[in-house]
Amino acid sequence: MEGAGYRVVFEKGGVYLHTSAKKYQDRDSLIAGVIRVVEKDNDVLLHWAPVEEAGDSTQILFSKKDSSGGDSCASEEEPTFDPGYEPDWAVISTVRPQPRHSEPTRGAEPSCPQGSWAFSVSLGELKSIRRSKPGLSWAYLVLVTQAGGSLPALHFHRGGTRALLRVLSRYLLLASSPQDSRLYLVFPHDSSALSNSFHHLQLFDQDSSNVVSRFLQDPYSTTFSSFSRVTNFFRGALQPQPEGAASDLPPPPDDEPEPGFEVISCVELGPRPTVERGPPVTEEEWARHVGPEGRLQQVPELKNRIFSGGLSPSLRREAWKFLLGYLSWEGTAEEHKAHIRKKTDEYFRMKLQWKSVSPEQERRNSLLHGYRSLIERDVSRTDRTNKFYEGPENPGLGLLNDILLTYCMYHFDLGYVQGMSDLLSPILYVIQNEVDAFWCFCGFMELVQGNFEESQETMKRQLGRLLLLLRVLDPLLCDFLDSQDSGSLCFCFRWLLIWFKREFPFPDVLRLWEVLWTGLPGPNLHLLVACAILDMERDTLMLSGFGSNEILKHINELTMKLSVEDVLTRAEALHRQLTACPELPHNVQEILGLAPPAEPHSPSPTASPLPLSPTRAPPTPPPSTDTAPQADSSLEILPEEEDEGADS
């Protein structure tokens, strides 16, 4: 429905006000009406009007039991609205609300006193929404405003609460309260979430304003330093943007789900299977897969073996070139030699580009100078306890430096961002050849370069997916973390950014990465690795009475104390447990690669620019990288509950 300056994006009839607190409602105590969501003058309003004012009385039924099309028979037993009573929530207060100006609607002006019950409220004025208990004959919603007052309870005699909440979720974040699953807290979809969250920022040190400023300028270097001391980070600051904007969303059919939005419930998972990992692939086993002309055979079987057991250390130097896409699984030995010669020439041409820059030229090239300074600082701290990199004049450090600077020539748009040296170090350690290590590093960066991009969209999306997986796997743990201001999983940022490089001992990192590089058993296994770690620490977190500070401290202290085999075993078990669930939500299936991704939606033309992005031209050298980073991304999940009664 369109009008001058307004547009109705949702409409539902059969929405009643109950004006009596009696257990059984008589016909005179019910006021039938229509609920609408209306866009008007850059605002979105929730509008309810009685049938007479809405002008659509033929579409409103008094009771779902009435099959005659007229008034319900008084002799029929009328359903109770809430066994146990909740007059403060379920029925209208004895003091009628002051009606606001109603939106233009179809039909005539109110012709009876019931019209005085009409009301409109801006969505920006809502503080919370309370839903009725399950199992009722019909559901109701109670809306509480920022001022603390409650609007009349809306009873949906013909269903529709879930459809209304879906529509509201376009304009609002609806977060289930950890203390009351029936209560949804309301937050606006806007950039003020970042500024508002600064008010709640707590640090172990007292220089919070400096940390905030540094993070806004360069979140990566700050992430690797004092940002690890954040206890309550920017909740909602990295919230994914809505799939559509209020200005361009068409009114959906009441019985169809919103594109890109899926309601998640407590999925009934089956028992977690037992998983046994196999032994590493040996050189002899690898040789059995090498056919005529040096071409690898039965590659899927070989990848499965690498996934289940990893590789023997002596085999990694060769096998990693295939896992990282430097050499083709289908190529012959001669084709590989020709490819390596070509890539060697290409590498040294790129290296010559920065090697031939004179000091005078570099002084006039602030970008190259900044990259060189940042790389030198990071390389000097990378894995210095490893014998391959220890000592003041270690040649390995020079190779790290040269490869990273050459990568800046290879990928001008991305350049160098702090954390990349952590990804290169194990590769160079294993490959021990400058050219081959460079191209293997490029292959790894193809997988994770989104982690370092300026928009940070990839990191936000991963953290959101991690939260979604954990919500399905362990809603109680999620509720606990929410209750302790840790539900954003901000402490997982470094895990995902550099693929757990600093969480495991160096040999375990090699095993973990080669397993993840197989791409088995599906995409995003690294997210299940994070879920596995949290699952292993579940009881410690929940039974020790930890607050947010203690949770962060405990997670940080897990560094170098985790067993990679235990974590991989549990991650695979979680994957099998999820994939065995016949009612797995579609967006979880997408994360696991069990379903094709939904068609992307165009970004909202009114969406504000993302506030957090790394600075590409590195400023002054960053602080120490010895502590854990934090970042925040919440994917608000609206629990799925069938509308009681008519919604089923």
Side-chain angles (χ1 to χ4, degrees), residues 133-156:
K133 297 176 182 178
L136 307 183
S137 297
W138 51 60
Y140 66 77
L141 295 177
V142 175
L143 291 82
V144 179
T145 65
Q146 296 286 350
S150 299
L151 295 171
L154 302 171
H155 295 255
F156 291 72

Side-chain angles (χ1 to χ4, degrees), residues 201-314:
L201 186 67
Q202 298 180 8
L203 302 176
F204 288 118
D205 61 13
Q206 298 181 358
D207 194 10
S208 59
S209 60
N210 182 42
V211 172
V212 171
S213 174
R214 282 165 41 211
F215 183 77
L216 290 175
Q217 293 176 4
D218 189 352
Y220 283 83
S221 62
T222 313
T223 283
F224 278 94
S225 58
S226 58
F227 205 54
S228 64
R229 296 190 291 272
V230 175
T231 60
N232 298 323
F233 182 47
F234 314 98
R235 187 155 182 83
L238 298 182
Q239 176 68 34
Q241 295 294 324
E243 296 277 355
S247 60
D248 63 351
L249 288 170
D254 190 33
D255 57 350
E256 293 185 7
E258 312 300 333
F261 179 88
E262 181 160 3
V263 180
I264 302 299
S265 64
C266 294
V267 178
E268 290 292 334
L269 298 177
R272 188 175 301 173
T274 300
V275 172
E276 293 186 6
R277 290 185 52 76
V281 177
T282 63
E283 292 184 81
E284 293 77 13
E285 184 177 356
W286 179 276
R288 290 197 294 269
H289 286 268
V290 179
E293 300 181 332
R295 196 188 310 270
L296 288 171
Q297 299 176 330
Q298 298 175 316
V299 173
E301 177 186 331
L302 182 57
K303 286 185 178 179
N304 271 303
R305 279 288 295 117
I306 298 172
F307 167 74
S308 65
L311 294 161
S312 297
S314 59

Side-chain angles (χ1 to χ4, degrees), residues 20 45 178 194 377 438 449 500 567 620 646:
S20 170
L45 305 173
L194 177 64
R377 177 62 64 91
F438 171 83
Q449 70 179 34
F500 308 92
V567 171
T620 56

Side-chain angles (χ1 to χ4, degrees), residues 25-298:
Q25 299 290 307
D26 56 66
R27 183 173 57 188
D28 295 335
S29 67
L30 303 182
I31 303 176
V34 178
I35 189 73
R36 295 186 177 107
V37 177
V38 181
E39 294 177 359
K40 180 184 179 185
D41 299 332
N42 298 321
D43 195 7
V44 184
L45 305 173
L46 187 68
H47 174 74
W48 182 90
V51 169
E52 293 83 355
E53 183 174 343
D56 197 15
S57 59
T58 60
Q59 300 299 317
I60 306 297
L61 300 178
F62 165 67
S63 169
K64 65 179 181 178
K65 293 185 178 181
D66 178 18
S67 59
S68 64
D71 289 343
S72 296
C73 177
S75 63
E76 290 189 40
E77 181 181 358
E78 296 174 354
T80 60
F81 64 89
D82 195 349
Y85 304 103
E86 282 185 287
D88 55 330
W89 291 110
V91 299
I92 297 172
S93 169
T94 55
V95 180
R96 292 185 177 183
Q98 295 296 321
R100 292 180 51 166
H101 174 67
S102 298
E103 298 304 314
T105 57
R106 296 174 297 213
E109 292 296 318
S111 58
C112 71
Q114 289 186 353
S116 61
W117 289 106
F119 65 85
S120 292
V121 61
S122 170
L123 298 191
E125 297 178 17
L126 295 180
K127 180 180 181 181
S128 63
I129 300 175
R130 186 174 180 84
R131 199 172 184 178
S132 54
K133 297 176 182 178
L136 307 183
S137 297
W138 51 60
Y140 66 77
L141 295 177
V142 175
L143 291 82
V144 179
T145 65
Q146 296 286 350
S150 299
L151 295 171
L154 302 171
H155 295 255
F156 291 72
H157 287 208
R158 294 168 52 196
T161 57
R162 187 169 58 179
L164 176 60
L165 290 172
R166 282 199 191 110
V167 173
L168 294 182
S169 69
R170 297 173 176 178
Y171 310 96
L172 305 167
L173 301 179
L174 302 179
S176 180
S177 168
Q179 286 78 30
D180 186 348
S181 61
R182 295 165 55 199
L183 182 65
Y184 301 129
L185 306 179
V186 175
F187 304 96
H189 271 308
D190 60 29
S191 59
S192 64
L194 177 64
S195 58
N196 290 340
S197 62
F198 286 163
H199 176 69
H200 302 288
L201 186 67
Q202 298 180 8
L203 302 176
F204 288 118
D205 61 13
Q206 298 181 358
D207 194 10
S208 59
S209 60
N210 182 42
V211 172
V212 171
S213 174
R214 282 165 41 211
F215 183 77
L216 290 175
Q217 293 176 4
D218 189 352
Y220 283 83
S221 62
T222 313
T223 283
F224 278 94
S225 58
S226 58
F227 205 54
S228 64
R229 296 190 291 272
V230 175
T231 60
N232 298 323
F233 182 47
F234 314 98
R235 187 155 182 83
L238 298 182
Q239 176 68 34
Q241 295 294 324
E243 296 277 355
S247 60
D248 63 351
L249 288 170
D254 190 33
D255 57 350
E256 293 185 7
E258 312 300 333
F261 179 88
E262 181 160 3
V263 180
I264 302 299
S265 64
C266 294
V267 178
E268 290 292 334
L269 298 177
R272 188 175 301 173
T274 300
V275 172
E276 293 186 6
R277 290 185 52 76
V281 177
T282 63
E283 292 184 81
E284 293 77 13
E285 184 177 356
W286 179 276
R288 290 197 294 269
H289 286 268
V290 179
E293 300 181 332
R295 196 188 310 270
L296 288 171
Q297 299 176 330
Q298 298 175 316

